[in-house]
Amino acid sequence: MQGYKLVFKMKRPVISPFLVTILLQSATSILVEKVVVPPVVLAGRRATLECHYQEDGDKLYSLKWWRGDEEFYQYIPPIRKDFPATGVTVNLTATNSLNFGNDGQEVVVLDEVGLDTAGVYKCEVLAEHSFETVFKQANMTVIYEPDGPPVITTAPGTESNNITAGQRVFLICTSPPASPPPVLTWSINERRVDPSWVTTYSPVFKRKMARAKSRLEFTVSSKLIASGRDLAVKCSATQTGMSSSSAGSEDYRTLNSYEQSVYLILRPSPPLSFWGRIFSSGSSVHVCLQHHHNLLLLVIAVLAPPALATHG
């Protein structure tokens, strides 16, 4: 009997192009490890941006920085270029100096940041062989400090001298333009005032800045001026933000606080003497004494002897 030979043919596996791409990217890729963007910067200062990347089997072809939809910086080794962007000014000299000898890190220096510099900053890297593009981003806020202390003005009808119990006091505190506008608080002789005495006005922005405005209204009580001492009314403007403790650092926990105050002195009327209080205008004692004085003169005129009355 003639034997039969069994032959098994195995099909060659079909590898999809998508799988090839995945395998290629897993073998050769590039990563953006982190971006360092100062979350808050004072207007007029310098800001330093950092992009840390890792060449994981592939090489860096290009690195770009964007603010929103505007590209303002490009690094294609070894050339660095900047591009016009609203509110963004790259200091190429400082940038080139800080990047000398760097590997896996690209630093960009921005000069004279302003309110238009704020926004979302993105670092984007492109791999040379896989053409993989990856990015990370972070937000930056710019603070514009007031250029001076607030100002207190008295509303019509409010006098700062010779104040008395029962008198109404109306004061307005206004700060110079800032972004964001500072918070205004009131105190009298270093004690916070009753919140019901204060009216805070909504800021009106112009060119991204606004003045803070607050109104203090209260009635002078006897207790408030019982000691006879002056009333030191203080308006304080406070603006708080976070900034990096040093250039290129990730420690953004240091607080930069702006606080300036202005005082207005209210002087009570000097206390009256004992007799001054008795004979003060409108005093019931004064009226009573005046009535008795007139009655005494009438009695003298009626009881006086006729000779005395007709003398001379």
Side-chain angles (χ1 to χ4, degrees):
M1 182 177 180
Q2 188 176 2
Y4 291 93
K5 186 176 182 180
L6 298 177
V7 179
F8 295 95
K9 291 185 179 181
M10 297 182 66
K11 292 184 178 181
R12 181 176 297 177
V14 178
I15 302 177
S16 70
F18 176 75
L19 181 60
V20 171
T21 302
I22 295 297
L23 293 173
L24 180 61
Q25 289 186 349
S26 64
T28 59
S29 63
I30 193 166
L31 304 171
V32 176
E33 295 181 314
K34 64 180 178 180
V35 294
V36 180
V37 176
V40 175
V41 183
L42 293 178
R45 302 286 181 86
R46 173 179 286 187
T48 302
L49 316 178
E50 299 178 14
C51 185
H52 298 254
Y53 61 91
Q54 181 180 350
E55 297 176 332
D56 188 13
D58 207 338
K59 290 185 177 181
L60 175 72
Y61 174 75
S62 69
L63 182 150
K64 299 179 180 180
W65 272 101
W66 302 72
R67 200 284 307 276
D69 296 328
E70 293 183 287
E71 179 186 355
F72 63 88
Y73 180 81
Q74 181 187 81
Y75 171 52
I76 301 179
I79 306 301
R80 295 179 173 87
K81 296 175 60 178
D82 65 319
F83 306 98
T86 305
V88 179
T89 303
V90 177
N91 187 324
L92 274 179
T93 301
T95 297
N96 282 309
S97 176
L98 289 175
N99 285 303
F100 182 77
N102 278 352
D103 187 18
Q105 174 182 320
E106 186 70 12
V107 180
V108 181
V109 179
L110 306 183
D111 276 344
E112 295 290 331
V113 302
L115 297 179
D116 290 335
T117 314
V120 176
Y121 284 78
K122 178 176 69 176
C123 175
E124 176 188 273
V125 298
L126 174 66
E128 185 176 65
H129 299 292
S130 65
F131 297 105
E132 181 184 11
T133 301
V134 291
F135 69 89
K136 282 191 176 182
Q137 61 189 25
N139 186 69
M140 182 170 71
T141 299
V142 177
I143 287 180
Y144 188 95
E145 287 187 339
D147 58 6
V151 176
I152 296 178
T153 56
T154 57
T158 296
E159 299 293 335
S160 58
N161 291 318
N162 297 324
I163 63 172
T164 58
Q167 179 179 335
R168 295 290 288 172
V169 173
F170 304 90
L171 303 176
I172 299 292
C173 182
T174 309
S175 76
S179 180
V183 176
L184 300 179
T185 55
W186 294 91
S187 64
I188 298 177
N189 293 340
E190 302 304 330
R191 298 186 62 179
R192 293 287 291 268
V193 302
D194 188 321
S196 65
W197 298 357
V198 179
T199 301
T200 301
Y201 296 90
S202 299
V204 178
F205 284 85
K206 184 178 181 180
R207 297 179 181 177
K208 299 184 179 181
M209 295 196 296
R211 299 177 184 271
K213 185 178 179 182
S214 179
R215 176 187 176 100
L216 177 66
E217 180 179 346
F218 66 97
T219 300
V220 179
S221 64
S222 301
K223 181 179 178 181
L224 198 58
I225 58 173
S227 64
R229 62 181 292 197
D230 292 344
L231 302 182
V233 181
K234 180 173 72 171
C235 177
S236 299
T238 306
Q239 186 188 54
T240 303
M242 297 175 64
S243 67
S244 58
S245 57
S246 59
S249 169
E250 285 189 279
D251 182 10
Y252 295 109
R253 300 175 184 175
T254 302
L255 291 178
N256 270 354
S257 295
Y258 159 93
E259 182 173 353
Q260 293 200 44
S261 303
V262 63
Y263 287 87
L264 178 69
I265 304 300
L266 300 178
R267 293 184 169 84
S269 299
L272 295 174
S273 65
F274 174 77
W275 292 108
R277 292 196 301 272
I278 290 179
F279 291 103
S280 60
S281 177
S283 168
S284 59
V285 176
H286 170 77
V287 173
C288 182
L289 290 176
Q290 183 66 37
H291 172 73
H292 283 77
H293 177 263
N294 294 336
L295 182 60
L296 180 61
L297 291 179
L298 178 61
V299 170
I300 292 173
V302 171
L303 300 179
L308 182 61
T310 58
H311 180 70

